């Protein structure tokens, strides 16, 4: 076996050293050559191949530098889009993931001298949301892909169309209620007119009867006839009152049935398998997070991902977690507090908590804003409302 053969200890040690990442200052981007020490880098700079590459670089320095800068930026943003598309993360973490590839474009060959300068550049150009904290620079990828923008537009259209349908239904209900009230008033007016007509007829009949009987009979017979007529009048009035009351009850019951049907339609339309909303306060119920101290701790939903997953900012520690809705629970505020109706007929509406029934596990709320402003919901389940931050 020779002195520098493949399986000699020295050759194996050299390969192990060359396998990992080396120091950035001993890397030549033009030649894509990594040297292990200062002496090796010096020898490489004196080599003929390096001198040729430097001549090429000298002919158009700005173009070469710009090319490396664009490639570095593109690769960095691709990594952000693939691995951390929806999360806020430390810039150093992303950079460490980026340099894991030995053949990456090194920062000393770009127009940015430090990572901080590059992060500030991303913030200025609007490619990332940049935030400086005591723990360092944090970045959030701003998704500007055509597919994502198209999906957001479709989502906004759906939301607007749903709101328009709800408004149409509400208008139709109001029209039906107004028509029913008008019919009620018309019925009452007709009944009053009939009563007046019957009273006039009765009075005229009484007068004629009395005039005849006064001629034919004595005073005793006239008093008895008065009583008979009075009893008949009373009976007729009672019957009319009963009929009027029955009609009012029937009309009211018809209105109530109409309202119940509309409530059922809304319930079917707005009842969804997901309930997370941005800006609500939830409780983390995942026992897997108990070791880290998050079990039964409250946090605010900062972002909803794919309807079922929420980015939660913990209230005490300010840490960001990504948790599925199955491991979260709604929070009920004190009476008088604001809540968001997260599911059911009035999904998405803000309301005020008026009372709580602990036996039936339901609450009484009054809608604050929107199409249904002022409406009181007497019984709504705990799972369908959640505290607003």
């Amino acid at each position: 076996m020779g002195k520098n053969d493949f399986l000699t200890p020295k050759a194996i040690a050299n390969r192990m050293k060359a396998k990992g990442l080396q120091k950035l200052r001993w890397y030549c981007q033009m030649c894509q050559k990594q040297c292990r020490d200062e002496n090796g880098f010096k020898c490489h700079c004196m080599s003929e191949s390096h001198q040729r590459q430097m001549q090429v670089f000298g002919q158009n320095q700005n173009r070469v530098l710009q090319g490396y800068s664009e490639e570095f930026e593109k690769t960095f943003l691709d990594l952000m889009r693939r691995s951390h598309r929806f999360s806020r993360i430390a810039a150093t973490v992303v950079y460490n993931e980026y340099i894991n590839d030995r053949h990456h474009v090194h920062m000393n060959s770009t127009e940015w001298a430090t990572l901080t300068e590059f992060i500030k550049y991303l913030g200025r150009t609007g490619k990332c949301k940049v935030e400086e904290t005591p723990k360092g620079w944090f970045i959030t990828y701003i998704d500007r892909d055509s597919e994502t923008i198209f999906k957001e537009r479709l989502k906004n259209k759906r939301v607007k169309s749903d709101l328009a349908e709800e408004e149409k239904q509400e208008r139709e209900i109001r029209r039906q209620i107004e028509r029913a009230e008008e019919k009620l008033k018309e019925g009452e007016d007709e009944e009053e007119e009939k009563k007046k007509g019957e009273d006039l007829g009765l009075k005229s009949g009484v007068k004629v009867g009395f005039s005849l009987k006064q001629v034919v009979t004595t005073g005793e017979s006239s008093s008895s006839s008065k009583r008979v007529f009075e009893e008949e009048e009373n009976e007729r009035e009672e019957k009319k009152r009963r009929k009027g009351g029955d009609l009012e009850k029937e009309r009211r019951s018809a209105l109530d049935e109409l309202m119940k049907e509309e409530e059922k339609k809304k319930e079917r339309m707005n009842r969804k398998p997901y309930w997370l909303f941005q800006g609500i306060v939830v409780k983390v119920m995942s026992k897997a997070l108990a070791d880290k101290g998050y079990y039964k701790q409250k946090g605010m939903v900062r972002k909803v991902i794919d309807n079922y997953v929420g980015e939660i900012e913990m209230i005490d520690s300010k840490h960001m977690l990504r948790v599925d809705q199955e491991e979260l629970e709604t929070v009920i505020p004190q009476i008088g507090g604001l809540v968001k109706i997260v599911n059911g007929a009035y999904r998405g509406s803000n309301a005020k908590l008026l009372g709580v029934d602990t036996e039936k596990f339901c609450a009484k709320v009054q809608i604050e804003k929107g199409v249904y402003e002022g409406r009181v919901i007497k019984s709504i389940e705990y799972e369908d409302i959640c505290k607003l931050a």
Side-chain angles (χ1 to χ4, degrees):
M1 188 179 285
K3 190 174 181 181
N4 293 320
D5 283 348
F6 184 76
L7 294 174
T8 57
K10 187 173 182 180
I12 293 169
N14 288 340
R15 284 198 301 277
M16 286 175 70
K17 287 176 185 175
K19 191 175 182 181
L21 293 170
Q22 306 294 322
K23 287 192 176 181
L24 183 62
R25 60 181 175 175
W26 296 330
Y27 183 82
C28 176
Q29 186 66 56
M30 287 296 295
C31 306
Q32 295 184 355
K33 169 82 173 170
Q34 176 69 62
C35 301
R36 275 183 296 183
D37 53 22
E38 192 174 355
N39 187 39
F41 187 69
K42 186 178 178 182
C43 293
H44 170 72
C45 290
M46 294 170 67
S47 66
E48 188 180 346
S49 61
H50 179 75
Q51 294 296 327
R52 284 197 300 270
Q53 290 293 334
M54 291 311 293
Q55 285 175 3
V56 172
F57 176 74
Q59 289 172 5
N60 198 340
Q61 298 177 15
N62 293 331
R63 186 178 177 185
V64 174
L65 194 67
Q66 189 179 358
Y68 283 133
S69 300
E70 288 174 359
E71 189 177 349
F72 178 84
E73 181 188 341
K74 183 178 178 296
T75 316
F76 190 91
L77 290 174
D78 284 344
L79 177 65
M80 278 288 293
R81 187 172 63 253
R82 286 196 310 271
S83 303
H84 311 287
R85 192 167 190 166
F86 302 107
S87 58
R88 173 179 170 270
I89 192 165
T92 51
V93 173
V94 184
Y95 183 70
N96 287 333
E97 290 177 7
Y98 173 75
I99 63 174
N100 278 336
D101 180 15
R102 280 189 68 197
H103 302 292
H104 68 275
V105 176
H106 290 64
M107 189 171 278
N108 63 354
S109 61
T110 65
E111 61 187 59
W112 306 288
T114 61
L115 180 63
T116 304
E117 287 182 17
F118 177 62
I119 297 304
K120 287 180 179 177
Y121 161 78
L122 291 178
R124 281 196 308 271
T125 52
K127 291 170 183 175
C128 286
K129 186 181 175 183
V130 177
E131 187 181 350
E132 188 178 9
T133 66
K135 293 183 180 180
W137 288 91
F138 281 78
I139 53 176
T140 308
Y141 181 71
I142 298 173
D143 200 344
R144 298 188 185 279
D145 291 347
S146 57
E147 288 183 9
T148 309
I149 293 167
F150 181 68
K151 284 178 183 176
E152 284 181 1
R153 284 176 183 169
L154 280 176
K155 188 179 178 182
N156 291 333
K157 280 183 182 177
R158 283 194 211 105
V159 170
K160 285 179 182 176
S161 64
D162 290 342
L163 287 170
E165 284 178 5
E166 285 180 3
E167 285 177 3
K168 283 178 184 176
Q169 287 179 357
E170 187 65 21
R171 285 174 196 159
E172 189 63 31
I173 291 166
R174 285 176 183 170
R175 284 173 190 164
Q176 289 174 358
I177 291 167
E178 286 171 3
R179 285 172 194 163
E181 286 175 353
E182 285 174 4
K183 285 179 181 178
L184 257 174
K185 287 177 183 177
E186 286 174 5
E188 286 174 0
D189 294 339
E190 285 175 4
E191 284 172 9
E192 285 177 3
E193 287 174 3
K194 284 179 183 177
K195 283 179 184 177
K196 286 177 182 176
E198 287 174 0
D199 290 341
L200 288 168
L202 283 168
K203 284 176 184 175
S204 62
V206 168
K207 283 177 183 175
V208 171
F210 281 130
S211 63
L212 287 168
K213 293 210 175 175
Q214 278 175 2
V215 173
V216 178
T217 61
T218 60
E220 290 178 3
S221 61
S222 65
S223 62
S224 62
S225 63
K226 279 183 182 178
R227 286 173 192 169
V228 169
F229 280 118
E230 283 174 2
E231 285 174 4
E232 286 178 0
E233 283 177 15
N234 292 331
E235 285 176 4
R236 285 173 185 172
E237 283 177 2
E238 282 178 9
K239 285 179 182 177
K240 285 169 190 173
R241 282 173 192 166
R242 285 172 190 169
K243 285 179 181 178
D246 293 339
L247 283 168
E248 284 180 6
K249 284 178 183 177
E250 285 175 6
R251 284 165 186 163
R252 283 175 187 171
S253 62
L255 273 174
D256 293 337
E257 285 176 8
L258 189 65
M259 295 290 285
K260 284 176 183 176
E261 284 177 9
E262 290 298 327
E263 290 277 343
K264 285 176 183 177
K265 282 182 185 176
K266 283 182 205 166
E267 180 72 23
R268 284 196 296 271
M269 283 176 63
N270 294 332
R271 177 67 61 179
K272 310 286 184 186
Y274 49 87
W275 55 269
L276 284 177
F277 276 85
Q278 189 175 350
I280 61 173
V281 177
V282 293
K283 190 185 285 186
V284 178
M285 301 302 291
S286 174
K287 292 183 179 178
L289 298 171
D291 298 336
K292 296 179 182 178
Y294 298 126
Y295 183 60
K296 288 192 175 180
Q297 295 297 310
K298 292 177 184 176
M300 186 174 72
V301 179
R302 286 290 184 189
K303 193 175 182 182
V304 180
I305 301 161
D306 297 331
N307 296 326
Y308 292 92
V309 180
E311 275 193 6
I312 316 298
E313 183 183 354
M314 304 309 293
I315 292 171
D316 295 333
S317 61
K318 301 296 179 184
H319 293 168
M320 294 292 287
L321 304 177
R322 191 174 286 185
V323 189
D324 191 89
Q325 70 170 16
E326 290 183 0
E327 296 175 338
L328 297 171
E329 193 178 79
T330 57
V331 175
I332 307 298
Q334 293 181 351
I335 291 171
L338 285 175
V339 294
K340 170 82 82 175
I341 300 175
V342 295
N343 219 339
Y346 302 97
R347 177 186 174 88
S349 301
N350 293 346
K352 184 179 179 182
L353 185 65
L354 301 178
V356 175
D357 190 345
T358 52
E359 292 180 358
K360 295 180 180 178
F361 301 102
C362 61
K364 183 181 178 182
V365 297
Q366 183 180 16
I367 296 173
E368 288 284 304
K369 294 179 182 179
V371 183
Y372 312 106
E373 184 177 356
R375 183 168 292 182
V376 176
I377 305 167
K378 293 180 180 178
S379 179
I380 186 167
E381 294 181 2
Y382 288 162
E383 291 79 8
D384 292 345
I385 58 171
C386 191
K387 181 181 177 182
L388 274 170

